[in-house]
C-alpha cells in the first residue's frame, strides 16, 4: 500500500508502580485473582504528569533516536483516549513543546485500536505530500478510573510510546490493513462522559470514569480480531506462518492465547508485556513495538502483524514489512 519505514523508536513509562498486592490492600482482590484472569502483575501510574507530558518525553527522544530536527516533521499524530483537555489536542501541545513548526498535529481517538489506526493514517499521509511524521500512542488512564471499581481498576496503566515514520524507496512498509468500527456496540466500553446541560440547568451529571462490559469486550476481541487479521493476511496474500511476530494490544493474556491457538501459531510469536504495564490502551502496541526494538528483535525483512481492539467498538489489523 505504501513504502514507509520506521526510523525512530521511543517510550516513556511513569516510574511509580502499583502492584496487585498494593490493590489488594485497598480492595477485595489478590495478585492470584488478577494475574490468573488477565496476566497482569503490575502497572505504572503517573503521580503528577499529564498525557501530554509523557507524549512530549517520547517526542523529544524520538528526535534524538532518529537523528532529525523537529522542523523536519510534516505531521504529528497522537492516539489517545485520555487527553489533557478536549482542546487543544495533545498533538498540538507536543508540536508546540518540541518546536515542530512545519508539522500539522492532530489527536486520533480510536481507544485501544488507536495506534493501528494511526499507522494507517500516517501511511496515507506519507503516500501523498508528507515525507516524515511522528506517531505516538499516549495514555494516562489512571485519571479515568474509579479506583473502588474492581472490574476495571485492576486492568489499566499509564504510558506512552511512538515511532518516526518516513517515506522510503526501500521495499518496506504497510502491506495491508483491515480497520472496522462497530458503533452499535458503543455501550460496551465508555469513559469520560460529559455533563448533559441546557439553558434550564444541569440534566445529567459528569461521569468521567471507565465503564466496561468485560464479557462483551472479551467476546468481541476473540471473535473480531482473528477476522481482521485474516482479512489483512488475505489482502497481503500471506499466511499466518509467514508472519514473524504478532504484536497485539496488551489487554488480556487469555485473549492473546486464544488468538494464537486460532491461527495455530506458537505463543512465542505473540510477545506480551501486560504483566508489567497492564492495559495502556492506545499506547500498548507502541510500547510493545519499542521494547522489541530495544531487545534487538526487529530486523529488516521481517513481516509483522499489529492488531488492536477497544472502545467504539473498534478493531484494526495491519501487516508491515520491515
Amino acid at each position: 500500500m505504501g513504502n514507509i519505514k520506521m526510523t525512530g523508536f521511543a517510550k516513556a513509562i511513569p516510574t511509580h508502580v502499583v502492584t496487585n498486592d498494593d490493590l489488594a490492600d485497598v480492595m477485595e482482590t489478590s495478585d492470584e485473582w488478577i494475574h490468573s484472569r488477565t496476566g497482569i502483575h503490575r502497572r505504572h501510574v503517573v503521580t503528577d504528569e499529564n498525557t501530554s507530558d509523557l507524549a512530549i518525553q517520547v517526542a523529544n527522544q524520538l528526535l534524538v533516536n532518529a537523528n532529525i530536527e523537529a522542523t523536519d516533521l510534516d505531521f504529528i499524530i497522537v492516539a489517545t483516549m485520555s487527553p489533557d483537555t478536549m482542546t487543544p489536542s495533545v498533538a498540538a501541545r507536543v508540536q508546540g513543546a518540541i518546536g515542530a513548526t512545519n508539522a500539522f498535529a492532530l489527536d486520533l481517538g480510536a481507544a485501544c485500536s488507536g495506534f493501528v489506526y494511526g499507522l494507517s493514517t500516517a501511511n496515507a499521509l506519507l503516500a501523498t505530500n508528507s515525507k516524515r511524521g511522528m506517531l505516538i500512542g499516549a495514555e494516562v488512564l489512571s485519571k479515568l478510573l474509579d479506583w473502588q471499581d474492581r472490574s476495571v481498576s485492576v486492568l489499566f496503566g499509564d504510558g506512552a510510546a511512538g515511532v518516526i515514520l518516513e517515506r522510503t524507496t526501500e521495499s518496506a512498509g504497510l502491506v495491508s490493513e483491515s480497520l472496522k468500527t462497530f458503533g452499535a456496540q458503543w455501550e460496551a466500553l465508555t469513559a469520560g462522559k460529559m455533563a448533559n446541560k441546557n439553558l434550564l440547568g444541569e440534566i445529567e451529571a459528569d461521569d468521567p470514569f471507565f465503564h466496561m462490559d468485560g464479557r462483551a469486550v472479551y467476546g468481541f476481541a476473540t471473535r473480531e480480531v482473528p477476522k481482521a487479521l485474516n482479512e489483512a493476511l488475505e489482502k497481503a496474500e500471506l499466511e499466518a506462518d509467514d508472519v514473524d511476530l504478532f504484536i497485539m494490544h496488551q489487554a488480556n493474556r487469555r485473549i492473546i492465547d486464544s488468538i494464537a491457538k486460532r491461527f495455530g501459531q506458537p505463543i512465542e510469536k505473540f510477545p506480551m508485556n501486560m504483566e508489567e504495564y497492564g492495559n495502556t490502551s492506545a499506547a500498548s502496541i507502541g510500547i510493545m513495538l519499542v521494547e522489541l526494538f530495544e531487545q534487538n528483535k526487529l530486523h529488516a525483512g521481517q513481516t509483522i502483524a499489529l492488531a488492536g481492539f477497544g472502545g467504539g467498538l473498534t478493531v484494526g489489523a495491519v501487516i508491515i514489512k520491515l
Side-chain angles (χ1 to χ4, degrees), residues 7 15 27 42 51 67-68 75 88 101 108 116 132 145 148 159 171 205 209 243 245 285:
T7 58
T15 56
M27 65 179 69
R42 297 146 50 98
T51 302
N67 194 28
I68 60 173
F75 63 83
T101 52
L108 191 154
V116 173
R132 183 183 290 109
L145 295 175
Q148 303 307 310
S171 180
F209 300 124
V243 176
L245 291 170
I285 290 175

Side-chain angles (χ1 to χ4, degrees), residues 17-38:
V17 172
V18 177
T19 68
N20 291 346
D21 289 332
D22 292 331
L23 294 178
D25 289 338
V26 296
M27 65 179 69
E28 187 178 343
T29 190
S30 69
D31 178 64
E32 191 279 331
W33 189 92
I34 297 170
H35 187 261
S36 65
R37 288 162 175 79
T38 66

Side-chain angles (χ1 to χ4, degrees), residues 18-78:
V18 177
T19 68
N20 291 346
D21 289 332
D22 292 331
L23 294 178
D25 289 338
V26 296
M27 65 179 69
E28 187 178 343
T29 190
S30 69
D31 178 64
E32 191 279 331
W33 189 92
I34 297 170
H35 187 261
S36 65
R37 288 162 175 79
T38 66
I40 298 167
H41 269 312
R42 297 146 50 98
R43 71 283 298 143
H44 293 247
V45 176
V46 298
T47 50
D48 57 359
E49 304 105 315
N50 289 315
T51 302
S52 64
D53 296 317
L54 298 182
I56 290 166
Q57 289 179 46
V58 170
N60 280 316
Q61 194 59 49
L62 282 172
L63 296 177
V64 173
N65 293 350
N67 194 28
I68 60 173
E69 301 295 328
T71 50
D72 294 329
L73 295 171
D74 296 313
F75 63 83
I76 298 170
I77 299 171
V78 175

Side-chain angles (χ1 to χ4, degrees), residues 12 44 55 94 101 107 122 168 177 186 204 214 263 288 322:
H44 293 247
V94 171
T101 52
D107 282 1
T168 180
E177 64 182 33
W186 69 270
E204 195 173 62
F263 283 94
M288 189 74 258
L322 297 180

Side-chain angles (χ1 to χ4, degrees), residues 80-144:
T80 186
M81 62 174 288
S82 55
D84 302 16
T85 52
M86 297 300 292
T87 192
S89 66
V90 175
R93 292 172 185 258
V94 171
Q95 188 257 15
I98 68 174
T101 52
N102 295 322
F104 65 88
L106 72 150
D107 282 1
L108 191 154
C112 307
S113 302
F115 200 84
V116 173
Y117 278 44
L119 284 168
S120 174
T121 303
N123 181 69
L125 292 169
L126 291 166
T128 52
N129 295 321
S130 297
K131 294 182 179 178
R132 183 183 290 109
M134 178 181 288
L135 169 63
I136 298 171
E139 302 283 16
V140 174
L141 299 171
S142 58
K143 297 184 179 183
L144 296 176

